[in-house]
Coordinates of all heavy atoms in Angstrom, one line a residue:
T84 N 74.1 27.5 67.6 CA 73.1 26.8 68.6 C 74.0 26.3 69.7 O 75.0 25.6 69.4 CB 72.3 25.7 67.9 OG1 71.4 26.1 67.0 CG2 71.5 24.8 69.0
V85 N 73.6 26.5 70.9 CA 74.2 26.0 72.1 C 73.2 24.8 72.7 O 72.2 25.1 73.1 CB 74.6 26.9 73.1 CG1 75.2 26.2 74.4 CG2 75.4 28.1 72.6
R86 N 73.8 23.6 72.7 CA 73.0 22.5 73.3 C 73.6 22.0 74.6 O 74.9 21.7 74.6 CB 72.8 21.4 72.3 CG 72.2 20.2 72.8 CD 71.8 19.1 71.7 NE 70.6 19.7 70.9 CZ 69.9 19.0 70.1 NH1 70.2 17.7 69.8 NH2 68.9 19.6 69.5
Q87 N 72.7 22.0 75.7 CA 73.3 21.5 77.0 C 72.3 20.6 77.6 O 71.2 20.6 77.3 CB 73.4 22.8 77.8 CG 74.3 23.9 77.4 CD 74.1 25.3 78.1 OE1 74.8 25.3 79.1 NE2 73.5 26.2 77.5
V88 N 73.0 19.6 78.4 CA 72.3 18.6 79.1 C 72.4 18.9 80.6 O 73.5 19.1 81.2 CB 72.8 17.2 78.8 CG1 72.0 16.1 79.5 CG2 72.7 16.9 77.3
I100 N 62.3 27.1 82.0 CA 63.7 27.3 81.8 C 64.1 28.7 82.2 O 63.4 29.6 81.9 CB 64.2 27.0 80.4 CG1 63.6 25.6 79.9 CG2 65.6 27.1 80.1 CD1 64.1 24.4 80.7
I113 N 67.6 35.7 72.4 CA 67.5 34.2 71.9 C 66.5 34.2 70.8 O 65.4 34.5 70.9 CB 66.9 33.5 73.2 CG1 67.7 33.7 74.5 CG2 66.7 32.1 72.9 CD1 69.2 33.2 74.3
S115 N 65.5 31.3 69.1 CA 64.6 30.2 69.4 C 65.2 29.3 70.4 O 66.5 29.2 70.5 CB 64.4 29.4 68.1 OG 65.5 28.9 67.5
A116 N 64.4 28.4 71.0 CA 64.9 27.5 72.1 C 64.0 26.3 72.1 O 62.7 26.5 71.9 CB 64.9 28.2 73.4
T117 N 64.6 25.2 72.5 CA 63.6 24.0 72.7 C 64.3 23.3 74.0 O 65.3 23.4 74.4 CB 63.9 23.0 71.5 OG1 65.3 22.5 71.4 CG2 63.4 23.6 70.3
V118 N 63.4 22.3 74.4 CA 63.9 21.4 75.6 C 63.2 20.1 75.3 O 62.1 20.0 74.6 CB 63.3 21.9 77.0 CG1 61.7 21.9 76.9 CG2 63.8 21.0 78.0
A119 N 64.0 19.0 75.6 CA 63.6 17.7 75.3 C 64.2 16.7 76.4 O 65.2 17.2 77.0 CB 64.0 17.2 73.9
S125 N 74.7 14.1 72.7 CA 73.8 15.2 72.2 C 72.5 14.9 71.7 O 71.7 15.8 71.4 CB 74.5 15.9 71.1 OG 74.6 15.1 70.0
I127 N 68.5 13.6 71.5 CA 67.3 13.8 72.1 C 66.3 12.8 71.9 O 66.3 12.3 70.8 CB 66.8 15.4 71.9 CG1 66.4 15.5 70.3 CG2 67.9 16.5 72.3 CD1 65.7 16.8 70.1
L132 N 60.3 16.6 72.3 CA 60.8 17.8 72.0 C 59.6 18.9 72.1 O 58.5 18.7 71.6 CB 61.3 17.8 70.5 CG 62.0 19.0 70.0 CD1 63.3 19.6 70.8 CD2 62.4 19.1 68.5
R133 N 59.9 20.0 72.9 CA 59.0 21.1 73.1 C 59.6 22.3 72.7 O 60.9 22.6 73.1 CB 58.4 21.1 74.4 CG 57.7 19.8 74.8 CD 56.5 19.6 74.3 NE 55.8 18.5 74.9 CZ 55.9 17.3 74.5 NH1 56.7 16.9 73.6 NH2 55.3 16.4 75.1
I135 N 60.4 26.2 73.5 CA 60.3 27.1 74.7 C 59.9 28.5 74.2 O 60.5 29.0 73.2 CB 61.8 27.3 75.3 CG1 62.2 25.8 75.7 CG2 61.8 28.1 76.4 CD1 63.6 25.8 76.1
L166 N 67.6 16.5 80.9 CA 67.0 17.3 79.9 C 67.9 18.0 79.1 O 69.0 18.5 79.6 CB 66.0 18.4 80.7 CG 64.8 18.0 81.5 CD1 64.1 19.1 82.0 CD2 64.1 16.9 80.7
T167 N 67.6 18.1 77.9 CA 68.5 18.8 76.8 C 67.8 20.2 76.4 O 66.7 20.2 76.0 CB 68.7 17.9 75.6 OG1 69.4 16.9 76.0 CG2 69.6 18.7 74.6
V168 N 68.6 21.2 76.6 CA 68.1 22.5 76.4 C 69.0 23.1 75.2 O 70.3 23.2 75.3 CB 68.2 23.5 77.5 CG1 67.7 24.9 77.2 CG2 67.3 23.0 78.7
S169 N 68.3 23.5 74.1 CA 69.0 24.1 73.0 C 68.6 25.5 72.6 O 67.4 25.8 72.6 CB 68.7 23.2 71.7 OG 69.1 21.8 71.9
L170 N 69.7 26.3 72.5 CA 69.4 27.8 72.4 C 70.0 28.3 71.0 O 71.2 28.1 70.8 CB 70.1 28.6 73.5 CG 69.6 28.2 75.0 CD1 70.5 29.0 76.0 CD2 68.1 28.3 75.2
H171 N 69.3 28.9 70.3 CA 69.8 29.5 68.9 C 70.0 31.0 69.2 O 69.1 31.7 69.5 CB 68.9 29.3 67.9 CG 69.4 29.8 66.5 ND1 68.4 30.4 65.6 CD2 70.6 30.0 66.0 CE1 69.1 31.0 64.6 NE2 70.4 30.7 64.8
L172 N 71.3 31.4 69.1 CA 71.6 32.9 69.2 C 72.0 33.6 68.0 O 72.6 32.8 67.1 CB 72.6 33.1 70.3 CG 72.2 32.7 71.8 CD1 72.5 31.4 72.0 CD2 73.0 33.6 72.7
W190 N 77.5 21.4 73.3 CA 77.8 21.5 71.8 C 77.4 22.8 71.4 O 76.4 23.4 71.6 CB 77.2 20.3 71.2 CG 77.6 19.0 71.6 CD1 78.4 18.2 70.9 CD2 76.9 18.3 72.7 NE1 78.5 17.0 71.5 CE2 77.7 17.0 72.6 CE3 75.9 18.5 73.6 CZ2 77.4 16.0 73.6 CZ3 75.8 17.5 74.6 CH2 76.5 16.3 74.5
D195 N 70.8 27.1 63.2 CA 69.7 26.8 64.2 C 69.5 25.2 64.2 O 68.9 24.6 63.1 CB 68.3 27.4 63.7 CG 67.2 27.1 64.6 OD1 67.5 26.4 65.6 OD2 66.1 27.8 64.6
Q196 N 70.0 24.6 65.1 CA 69.9 23.2 65.2 C 69.1 22.7 66.5 O 69.4 21.8 67.2 CB 71.3 22.5 65.3 CG 72.1 22.7 64.0 CD 73.3 21.8 63.8 OE1 73.1 20.5 64.2 NE2 74.3 22.2 63.4
T197 N 68.3 23.7 66.9 CA 67.5 23.5 68.2 C 66.6 22.3 68.0 O 66.3 21.6 69.1 CB 66.8 24.7 68.6 OG1 65.9 25.1 67.4 CG2 67.5 26.0 68.9
R198 N 66.2 21.9 66.8 CA 65.4 20.7 66.8 C 66.0 19.5 66.1 O 65.4 18.5 65.8 CB 64.1 21.0 65.7 CG 63.3 22.1 66.4 CD 62.0 22.4 65.5 NE 61.1 23.3 66.2 CZ 60.1 22.9 67.0 NH1 59.9 21.6 67.1 NH2 59.3 23.7 67.6
A199 N 67.3 19.5 66.0 CA 68.1 18.4 65.6 C 68.1 17.2 66.5 O 68.1 17.4 67.6 CB 69.6 18.8 65.3
I202 N 73.5 16.3 67.4 CA 74.4 17.3 66.8 C 75.9 16.4 66.8 O 76.3 16.0 67.9 CB 74.7 18.5 67.6 CG1 73.5 19.3 67.7 CG2 76.0 19.3 67.2 CD1 73.5 20.5 68.6
L218 N 72.1 29.2 80.3 CA 71.3 28.5 81.1 C 71.7 28.5 82.5 O 72.8 28.2 82.8 CB 71.4 27.0 80.5 CG 70.4 26.0 81.2 CD1 69.0 26.3 81.1 CD2 70.8 24.6 80.8

Side-chain angles (χ1 to χ4, degrees):
T84 296
V85 180
R86 174 164 288 187
Q87 303 171 72
V88 179
I100 306 302
I113 306 297
S115 61
T117 62
V118 62
S125 69
I127 61 171
L132 183 66
R133 303 287 190 274
I135 300 172
L166 298 182
T167 296
V168 177
S169 302
L170 308 172
H171 177 214
L172 289 90
W190 296 263
D195 183 355
Q196 299 200 40
T197 55
R198 294 182 172 274
I202 293 176
L218 179 65

